[in-house]
Amino acid sequence: MEILDITLTITPDLPTWPGDPKVVLRRVNKMEDGANANVSRLDMGVHTGTHVDAPFHFIPDGLAVETLPLDVLTGTAWVVRIPDEVRVITREILEKVRLPEQGERILFRTRNSQYWQDGVKTFQTDFVGIDAGGAQYLVDRGVQLVGVDYLSVAPYKLSRPTHQVLLKARVVVVEGLDLSKVDAGRYQLVCLPLKLGGSDGAPARAVLFRE
């Protein structure tokens, strides 16, 4: 069985959303200084790297991340390749790429994946996202989980409409996937966010399996 890790490695130089906390990862106890064991401290926002959005992220009375259904976060998933010339994933684009009929979990690989491939350390504002019309098309098709290969499912500075369409429909949103080494096709997905009580999101470890 082939196992593909599609999770970004969390380091202090990992790009973060403008205004979000930067990653601070440091050892507070050091064996070389006489400590019994090495112990590190981590400080970061919950939407850092590969992470899951809960409805509460954009809906004031929405569900928090610990309530997200595990049967949606695991199961058959399709990686769909979006052509590099696409700047925004619209309904029209989705109709052209012909999504799988039974695709309840869709992960979009776009030109964004090249940023992770190239090790780009600065936040990019021209990343590919899904507009509200594209989001509604996914909802109408019965998609339950949407994954994207940059830090937001929505285009830059157009966050709310897309998120609200998806999250109001209780579609699980997974952002910050590294799909740079993943071909289009059918896989088994396991995506497990940290079980943070009352949070609007959580970092996650996401892997794909294929026989």
Side-chain angles (χ1 to χ4, degrees):
M1 178 179 293
E2 182 181 17
I3 303 175
L4 299 170
D5 188 352
I6 56 173
T7 312
L8 295 171
T9 300
I10 295 174
T11 60
D13 59 357
L14 183 70
T16 54
W17 192 266
D20 279 8
K22 296 291 186 181
V23 176
V24 178
L25 177 58
R26 63 184 179 88
R27 280 191 299 156
V28 293
N29 293 341
K30 302 178 181 180
M31 294 182 69
E32 63 265 32
D33 292 341
N36 184 58
N38 291 315
V39 177
S40 297
R41 176 173 179 169
L42 175 64
D43 182 2
M44 66 183 192
V46 297
H47 299 274
T48 298
T50 305
H51 65 277
V52 172
D53 286 352
F56 185 50
H57 187 32
F58 277 91
I59 302 171
D61 59 351
L63 296 174
V65 75
E66 78 274 18
T67 69
L68 295 180
L70 294 179
D71 60 344
V72 175
L73 287 157
T74 58
T76 300
W78 294 85
V79 174
V80 174
R81 186 71 168 92
I82 300 296
D84 287 348
E85 62 269 18
V86 171
R87 293 296 183 261
V88 179
I89 301 175
T90 63
R91 180 187 185 95
E92 292 72 24
I93 293 297
L94 293 173
E95 290 173 341
K96 288 180 181 178
V97 298
R98 296 183 181 181
L99 300 179
E101 290 296 330
Q102 303 300 320
E104 296 180 349
R105 302 170 191 85
I106 304 291
L107 312 180
F108 290 106
R109 178 179 171 178
T110 73
R111 62 179 179 83
N112 297 336
S113 286
Q114 194 63 42
Y115 295 136
W116 309 128
Q117 180 74 29
D118 295 343
V120 176
K121 301 301 184 184
T122 56
F123 179 82
Q124 304 296 304
T125 60
D126 64 343
F127 64 87
V128 179
I130 305 170
D131 72 4
Q136 187 62 56
Y137 180 75
L138 294 172
V139 170
D140 293 343
R141 288 182 62 94
V143 174
Q144 297 182 29
L145 180 146
V146 176
V148 293
D149 55 355
Y150 207 64
L151 301 181
S152 175
V153 70
Y156 187 58
K157 293 193 174 180
L158 293 172
S159 294
R160 184 170 292 184
T162 297
H163 278 92
Q164 288 187 333
V165 168
L166 295 172
L167 297 176
K168 283 181 179 179
R170 297 195 177 182
V171 175
V172 174
V173 174
V174 186
E175 299 170 327
L177 295 170
D178 181 1
L179 300 175
S180 60
K181 296 180 176 63
V182 181
D183 296 327
R186 183 177 183 269
Y187 298 84
Q188 294 298 312
L189 169 70
V190 175
C191 177
L192 298 179
L194 292 178
K195 196 174 182 181
L196 304 178
S199 180
D200 46 274
R205 187 69 181 262
V207 295
L208 294 175
F209 299 84
R210 183 166 64 178
E211 294 184 355

